Amino acid sequence: MENMEAAEKATCRSVDHFNPLITTIFQVSCILVISHMFHILLKPLGQPGPFAQLLAGVVVGPTLLSRIRRVEDFFIQASSAEYYMFFSFLCRMLFMFSIGLETDIPYLKRNIRVVSIVAGGGIILASICAAPLLWLLIKVFTVTKSRFPFYLLIFTVLANSASPVVIRMIAESKFDNADLGRLAIYSSLISEMSCVAFVATLTACSSTIRLVGAIIATLVTVLLIFLNNYLPFFFNKRNRHNRFLTNSELFLIIFILLAISLLVESAGYTAITCCFLAGLMFPREGKTCRTLLHKLTYAVNTFVLPVYFGYTGFQFNISKIFNKLTLILTVLIILLSAGTKIVATLAACYYLKIPRNESLILSFLLNMKGNYDLIIINSPPVPKMLWENDIHDLFLSVVVLKTLILAPVVAIWLNRGEFCAHYPTTLEILNPESELRMLACAYIPRHVSGYLSLISALSGCPNATLIPYVAHLVELPKKKKSKLMYHQLEDGDQYSDEEEYGGNDVVQITNALDSFISETKIPVHEAKIVSSFLTINQDVCNGAVDLRVSIIFLPFHKHQRVDGKMENSMEGIRTINQKVIRHAPCSVGIFLDRGQTGFQQPHGSLSVQNIATFFFGGPDDREALACSKRILMHSQVSLTVFRFIQANSSIQNSWISDASHKGEEVVMAISSIGTENEMDNVFVDTFYNRYVAQGKASLIEKYVSDGAETLVALREILDNRYSLVIVGKGGRENSSLTIGMSDWEECPELGLVGDLLASSEMNFNGSLLVINTGTPRMMRPSSLQRQ
């Protein structure tokens, strides 16, 4: 009788009472709605999106709502699993391609050794610890066949780090631009891709059929990369006068990606490596990459990842671990997996001399699960093989519970501000060969050309890395109602602020950046800030914190006319500049570009450009000299530093008192550097011995008594027709070198010397850069729209 009832239930379960497609769509909708509700509730508590989305899946799944018989019959049907798996495949394909597109290749090249050691430590220790766990589980579940795939399953669960979970947690914590955040992201990526490669290689060597499948998967991946290297150039030329690709062209790229991914999956291997490599090798220049990032980033973060993480939680059934033995094994594997990652990561960080507190948070981040390990759990590496229900439920419970337990802990740790806060920096304290992050703000296309010349000059040092951001500042207009329905829009148009906010300037700025990137191969990140002019300075400062930049470049509110006179462009720009200088968390440079007579782009130029830096003393002038250090490393730039000294002062210079030390690095032992004068002397001495003594720059001293003599000296210097002059805003307060120069001051934000050089009376046709050290302070990041 009992057998008859069981057979009757199985027969009922094998019949679909509802359309599986409708069931799948409704499940996806429920997961999206509940996940967004949880995210709204948990975000004030500092909890990340993946935790809320995973929790939403658990609520919808058999742990809670699907325990109700009618809900279970609706969601869990005989053929619905195939639809769920296909939706999961689509999500996985899109976000792995998106991750590849957003990968910072220069950072990965510079830090491949560090990232590989951190990721490799966990993989090696996991491969060792998987052996005794394999022996134990074979005894418990009496596994007699397919022991090798079973070992690969255990190894993957212990070694893998879910890169999508790590990336979203770090991004939502505003931690993705910090060194530790990037190390965690790329360590998780290397760890996951290494697990895929390890399992695929061992599986391919197990039989001839699997080897043929591996060769086919490799060939189609190479074909996809080849197509992705040629299609973007065709689409870029075709959309020369547009900012984005059309929807049909975008659909073609996604369709090719989908078709190739299906071929890889049909060969018996996961397509996540194929999709990731396709995004990684995708050309970064032009409109194609910009369109993909613009379209995919929002879709992936808002819809794809919530559905993917939600479906992971949907598969979890808490009733499966109520068995005493299963509960013990679940706790054991979670502890072993966490302990393996923590010990391996701490050991690797100790070898790399990474601070202990950073090592600990890194080890917890790399413990996130929920991507490739789920693929192995649901689809074993052997064709036509399924895990036993007990094994499947055990490892699925381990993956879901471990992420649900550790994600809130890591989020609370990150939100303490100790790791993701922006520590204000100045160029003065940075090594000239270290990474420099800069933010250049432009209102109109004319501002961009001057910034590109600066970016070109600052990227001249082969050992230093420049990460430039160009932000288009757009005044928030009044809302306008469109008279067109959605189906009446032209192909590629949409209801958005892309064309309305910024107008034709957006296309011109984009084209200028595309041409510069194509010509110089310097990656420039484009962003847009749309705000009222009353508050846009706050968005700029908060964006600087978000991007962790060391200097902000702002345009001068005047521009030079054809007759050489200065004309006021936008008075609002001047007010914004003054506000940014007062509240900036880093240094600020106001750039006056004089077009054809000013500073030109050094890349591709056959002539050497002469640059002058005026040094009067003080923190702003030291910052200006520090900026000059970066520029002088370019081969097409010749720098001359003019140091203005009080005529009756007696400054003992190390390069004068002892010529035998010329060419050596002089370290001045000063017991207490308490005065600006001593700090200036140390800074100039260091500059002399590192650059002037080696013939990389020139240093000229000008002895003056007051502002009148300083003005005469400036006129003599400017007769040499320098294309760019760099000067600090403040100089030293109450300096006798500038006495009387404030009588004709018009723009206080430029300082006395900068204001003089910007005026038409000086007959100076070169560009001008005025540096201000700003007012470093802690600020919370804002939403900066990256393009």
Side-chain angles (χ1 to χ4, degrees):
M1 188 68 179
E2 291 179 359
N3 293 335
M4 291 179 61
E5 290 179 358
E8 195 174 313
K9 288 182 179 179
T11 304
C12 294
R13 182 59 59 85
S14 64
V15 177
D16 292 336
H17 298 286
F18 302 94
N19 188 321
L21 182 59
I22 296 176
T23 300
T24 305
I25 294 174
F26 192 77
Q27 183 213 42
V28 168
S29 302
C30 288
I31 289 176
L32 282 174
V33 172
I34 296 176
S35 67
H36 284 298
M37 289 175 58
F38 280 163
H39 190 47
I40 292 172
L41 294 174
L42 296 175
K43 189 175 182 180
L45 302 177
Q47 296 308 310
F51 175 73
Q53 293 147 11
L54 198 62
L55 196 60
V58 173
V59 170
V60 177
T63 299
L64 194 60
L65 290 180
S66 292
R67 294 181 71 88
I68 304 172
R69 183 57 184 269
R70 291 187 178 181
V71 177
E72 181 184 10
D73 292 340
F74 182 74
F75 279 146
I76 305 175
Q77 301 185 80
S79 57
S80 60
E82 297 178 0
Y83 288 87
Y84 295 152
M85 295 299 290
F86 182 72
F87 268 88
S88 179
F89 162 73
L90 288 178
C91 294
R92 189 164 58 243
M93 176 197 73
L94 289 174
F95 71 66
M96 290 308 298
F97 180 67
S98 177
I99 289 173
L101 276 177
E102 294 178 346
T103 298
D104 188 350
I105 298 178
Y107 175 85
L108 201 55
K109 288 181 178 179
R110 295 193 311 270
N111 299 278
I112 188 64
R113 172 181 170 271
V114 176
V115 171
S116 300
I117 290 175
V118 173
I123 293 173
I124 293 172
L125 189 57
S127 63
I128 298 173
C129 294
L133 184 59
L134 173 67
W135 175 83
L136 174 63
L137 295 180
I138 285 176
K139 297 293 184 181
V140 172
F141 296 108
T142 61
V143 179
T144 57
K145 297 179 180 180
S146 304
R147 292 186 176 182
F148 178 66
F150 193 36
Y151 170 79
L152 294 180
L153 170 64
I154 297 172
F155 162 76
T156 304
V157 171
L158 294 182
N160 183 64
S161 298
S163 55
V165 181
V166 175
I167 290 172
R168 287 311 307 155
M169 289 191 64
I170 290 176
E172 292 188 15
S173 301
K174 302 297 181 181
F175 192 35
D176 50 338
N177 288 313
D179 291 336
L180 184 60
R182 288 186 290 176
L183 177 59
I185 288 173
Y186 296 113
S187 296
S188 66
L189 272 174
I190 294 294
S191 174
E192 191 156 56
M193 293 302 109
S194 299
C195 288
V196 175
F198 180 76
V199 173
T201 302
L202 294 181
T203 305
C205 296
S206 61
S207 66
T208 305
I209 297 177
R210 301 294 289 167
L211 181 60
V212 173
I215 294 174
I216 294 174
T218 303
L219 290 178
V220 296
T221 302
V222 172
L223 175 63
L224 177 60
I225 295 173
F226 176 80
L227 289 175
N228 281 341
N229 279 330
Y230 284 92
L231 276 177
F233 295 107
F234 172 73
F235 289 144
N236 290 341
K237 291 181 180 179
R238 188 179 177 186
N239 296 274
R240 185 179 294 108
H241 302 296
N242 300 324
R243 191 177 182 216
F244 294 113
L245 269 61
T246 61
N247 292 332
S248 57
E249 292 167 337
L250 180 65
F251 176 77
L252 177 61
I253 295 174
I254 299 299
F255 176 77
I256 293 174
L257 179 68
L258 173 62
I260 298 296
S261 300
L262 286 174
L263 283 175
V264 174
E265 293 276 343
S266 64
Y269 294 89
T270 178
I272 63 173
T273 304
C274 171
C275 296
F276 173 73
L277 290 177
L280 186 70
M281 304 298 291
F282 202 91
R284 299 300 199 268
E285 303 90 2
K287 299 168 174 55
T288 306
C289 184
R290 180 185 302 108
T291 304
L292 286 170
L293 286 173
H294 176 72
K295 301 281 187 178
L296 287 180
T297 300
Y298 178 78
V300 166
N301 295 337
T302 308
F303 301 105
V304 174
L305 284 177
V307 171
Y308 185 75
F309 293 143
Y311 178 63
T312 301
F314 179 83
Q315 300 174 71
F316 173 65
N317 188 350
I318 196 171
S319 62
K320 299 293 185 180
I321 64 172
F322 284 159
N323 180 284
K324 185 176 181 181
L325 178 61
T326 307
L327 181 60
I328 293 174
L329 289 175
T330 302
V331 174
L332 175 64
I333 297 175
I334 289 176
L335 292 177
L336 180 61
S337 175
T340 300
K341 274 291 182 183
I342 291 173
V343 171
T345 306
L346 290 178
C349 292
Y350 178 79
Y351 173 75
L352 296 170
K353 299 180 180 179
I354 297 176
R356 187 177 303 173
N357 58 341
E358 296 182 4
S359 305
L360 196 58
I361 190 65
L362 182 61
S363 65
F364 274 80
L365 279 167
L366 295 182
N367 261 298
M368 296 296 107
K369 304 292 181 183
N371 190 27
Y372 182 59
D373 39 20
L374 284 174
I375 298 175
I376 295 294
I377 292 171
N378 292 319
S379 304
V382 176
K384 298 179 181 180
M385 173 189 171
L386 292 175
W387 303 115
E388 294 182 8
N389 289 334
D390 292 341
I391 295 175
H392 177 273
D393 295 337
L394 171 65
F395 284 98
L396 181 63
S397 301
V398 168
V399 169
V400 175
L401 287 176
K402 187 179 180 183
T403 305
L404 284 175
I405 293 170
L406 291 181
V409 176
V410 174
I412 292 172
W413 208 338
L414 289 176
N415 288 322
R416 287 169 53 190
E418 181 180 350
F419 302 99
C420 57
H422 175 77
Y423 294 94
T425 57
T426 59
L427 302 181
E428 179 183 353
I429 62 176
L430 288 178
N431 188 325
E433 296 183 355
S434 62
E435 179 183 89
L436 173 62
R437 307 175 71 90
M438 55 163 284
L439 174 63
C441 301
Y443 296 88
I444 53 179
R446 183 174 62 240
H447 297 154
V448 176
S449 59
Y451 289 147
L452 295 180
S453 300
L454 278 180
I455 292 172
S456 175
L458 288 168
S459 61
C461 181
N463 298 324
T465 303
L466 179 69
I467 303 180
Y469 295 87
V470 175
H472 183 198
L473 306 187
V474 182
E475 184 177 10
L476 183 66
K478 294 182 180 180
K479 292 184 179 180
K480 297 179 182 179
K481 293 184 179 180
S482 176
K483 297 181 180 179
L484 296 177
M485 300 296 289
Y486 182 81
H487 66 277
Q488 295 176 308
L489 295 175
E490 296 292 335
D491 185 25
D493 291 346
Q494 55 184 327
Y495 283 115
S496 71
D497 63 354
E498 292 303 323
E499 298 301 330
E500 182 182 358
Y501 295 165
N504 193 49
D505 289 349
V506 177
V507 179
Q508 294 184 36
I509 291 174
T510 298
N511 290 338
L513 293 178
D514 288 344
S515 300
F516 175 80
I517 296 171
S518 177
E519 179 182 350
T520 63
K521 306 303 179 184
I522 301 173
V524 180
H525 306 274
E526 186 181 358
K528 181 193 286 187
I529 299 178
V530 181
S531 180
S532 167
F533 271 11
L534 296 176
T535 59
I536 201 168
N537 62 290
Q538 299 175 8
D539 294 324
V540 171
C541 294
N542 292 339
V545 177
D546 187 4
L547 301 175
R548 304 178 74 87
V549 300
S550 298
I551 187 168
I552 302 171
F553 290 110
L554 301 172
F556 190 49
H557 65 279
K558 294 183 179 182
H559 70 277
Q560 183 171 283
R561 300 186 311 195
V562 179
D563 59 2
K565 300 295 183 181
M566 300 301 296
E567 182 179 6
N568 197 341
S569 303
M570 297 171 61
E571 187 61 31
I573 296 180
R574 181 182 183 184
T575 305
I576 294 170
N577 289 349
Q578 293 171 344
K579 291 180 179 179
V580 172
I581 290 175
R582 284 197 299 268
H583 303 290
C586 58
S587 299
V588 179
I590 296 182
F591 185 59
L592 168 58
D593 180 30
R594 284 196 167 97
Q596 296 298 322
T597 63
F599 187 60
Q600 304 299 314
Q601 180 180 315
H603 273 87
S605 177
L606 299 177
S607 59
V608 176
Q609 296 195 67
N610 296 318
I611 298 177
T613 299
F614 297 155
F615 189 89
F616 291 85
D620 292 343
D621 282 17
R622 292 196 298 271
E623 192 73 0
L625 186 56
C627 182
S628 304
K629 289 181 185 179
R630 297 268 180 172
I631 295 178
L632 71 84
M633 301 304 293
H634 200 287
S635 59
Q636 296 302 107
V637 167
S638 176
L639 175 68
T640 303
V641 178
F642 294 90
R643 186 181 186 187
F644 291 81
I645 303 174
Q646 188 69 31
N648 56 0
S649 66
S650 56
I651 299 179
Q652 296 181 355
N653 299 313
S654 59
W655 62 86
I656 295 176
S657 61
D658 190 0
S660 63
H661 290 288
K662 192 173 184 178
E664 300 179 7
E665 188 76 21
V666 176
V667 180
M668 297 185 67
I670 300 178
S671 58
S672 177
I673 305 179
T675 64
E676 291 290 339
N677 187 49
E678 290 172 334
M679 297 175 70
D680 292 341
N681 290 338
V682 172
F683 199 74
V684 173
D685 283 355
T686 303
F687 174 81
Y688 179 87
N689 288 281
R690 185 167 184 176
Y691 300 102
V692 179
Q694 298 181 16
K696 298 179 180 179
S698 302
L699 177 63
I700 299 175
E701 293 181 342
K702 291 287 185 179
Y703 290 89
V704 293
S705 300
D706 51 25
E709 293 186 10
T710 300
L711 180 58
V712 174
L714 290 175
R715 293 185 184 276
E716 293 176 356
I717 294 171
L718 296 179
D719 287 341
N720 294 328
R721 299 185 181 275
Y722 291 97
S723 62
L724 174 65
V725 170
I726 304 174
V727 65
K729 169 185 175 288
R732 189 175 298 130
E733 295 182 2
N734 302 321
S735 174
S736 58
L737 302 178
T738 56
I739 290 178
M741 295 178 62
S742 60
D743 296 343
W744 53 78
E745 186 178 30
E746 182 182 357
C747 302
E749 66 272 16
L750 297 181
L752 296 176
V753 178
D755 186 33
L756 183 64
L757 297 176
S759 64
S760 304
E761 287 74 12
M762 284 297 292
N763 194 27
F764 173 54
N765 295 322
S767 299
L768 174 66
L769 178 60
V770 180
I771 305 292
N772 187 291
T773 53
T775 308
R777 65 189 185 92
M778 300 297 297
M779 300 182 71
R780 289 306 301 166
S782 67
S783 55
L784 190 69
Q785 303 174 21
R786 300 189 198 181
Q787 307 298 316

